[in-house]
Amino acid sequence: MSRILGIDPGTGICGFGVIEGRTAIDYGVISTPPHTPLPERLEDIYNSLHEIIKLNQPEAMAIEKLFFKQNITTGISVAEARGICLLVARQCHLPIYEYAPNQIKMAISGDGHAHKSQMQEMVRLHLGLKQVPKPDDAADALACAIVHSFAVKNTQKLS
């Protein structure tokens, strides 16, 4: 059974969730203050993610692929935060697995267009949590980790 770090990348709020099997080990968000220069925000994400990895000792990182259709400016800053997450994973020698938002929704809920509340409830049920994980970004990161755990199980079954 492997320990997986899921990441929902973002500059203002970067969600993370660590699971092992069907157990949530740790989850939350890395928040950076608005109006702080972007390089400082990225440094905060970098340092915080290193600490999360050091504390939780995951064996792999599952990260959400970018999908944006309207605000390109927001998309660029999210891409920069995502790049920091990828860099930290590489520096920590974690294998990286990427999943598109609709892949995550389909795997978790059976509906590639599931609403956020449906996803959160399915994450809660899968991990046996008493309450829906908050904030939303942490639930999204947990969902990404869960999807990777499904992929690992399916690969093991085929071996």
Side-chain angles (χ1 to χ4, degrees):
M1 192 176 319
S2 64
R3 191 169 280 203
I4 303 164
L5 169 63
I7 297 289
D8 178 29
T11 306
I13 300 174
C14 181
F16 71 91
V18 180
I19 67 166
E20 189 166 347
R22 293 181 68 112
T23 303
I25 304 299
D26 189 12
Y27 62 89
V29 295
I30 301 166
S31 297
T32 63
H35 310 298
T36 302
L38 183 61
E40 288 179 34
R41 295 175 98 175
L42 296 174
E43 182 181 28
D44 284 349
I45 293 166
Y46 177 89
N47 291 332
S48 297
L49 193 52
H50 265 291
E51 283 301 312
I52 290 163
I53 290 170
K54 182 179 174 185
L55 176 68
N56 291 291
Q57 297 294 302
E59 297 163 49
M61 175 191 277
I63 188 166
E64 189 171 308
K65 289 182 181 178
L66 286 184
F67 176 79
F68 56 94
K69 53 185 170 183
Q70 291 179 3
N71 190 341
I72 188 108
T73 303
T74 301
I76 290 171
S77 68
V78 171
E80 291 172 322
R82 187 174 183 279
I84 291 295
C85 295
L86 295 173
L87 172 64
V88 171
R90 288 289 300 152
Q91 289 178 332
C92 294
H93 309 289
L94 294 177
I96 300 164
Y97 301 89
E98 302 175 83
Y99 299 95
N102 62 338
Q103 280 180 294
I104 296 169
K105 290 178 179 183
M106 180 61 81
I108 296 289
S109 72
D111 179 357
H113 301 290
H115 295 287
K116 198 166 273 295
S117 61
Q118 290 173 284
M119 292 294 295
Q120 292 168 340
E121 181 61 14
M122 293 306 293
V123 166
R124 184 191 74 75
L125 290 171
H126 180 79
L127 296 174
L129 301 172
K130 291 181 180 176
Q131 297 178 333
V132 167
K134 293 286 183 189
D136 297 355
D137 308 86
D140 292 347
L142 286 168
C144 194
I146 292 167
V147 168
H148 184 62
S149 75
F150 292 165
V152 169
K153 282 181 196 169
N154 289 335
T155 302
Q156 290 170 349
K157 286 179 184 176
L158 295 173
S159 300

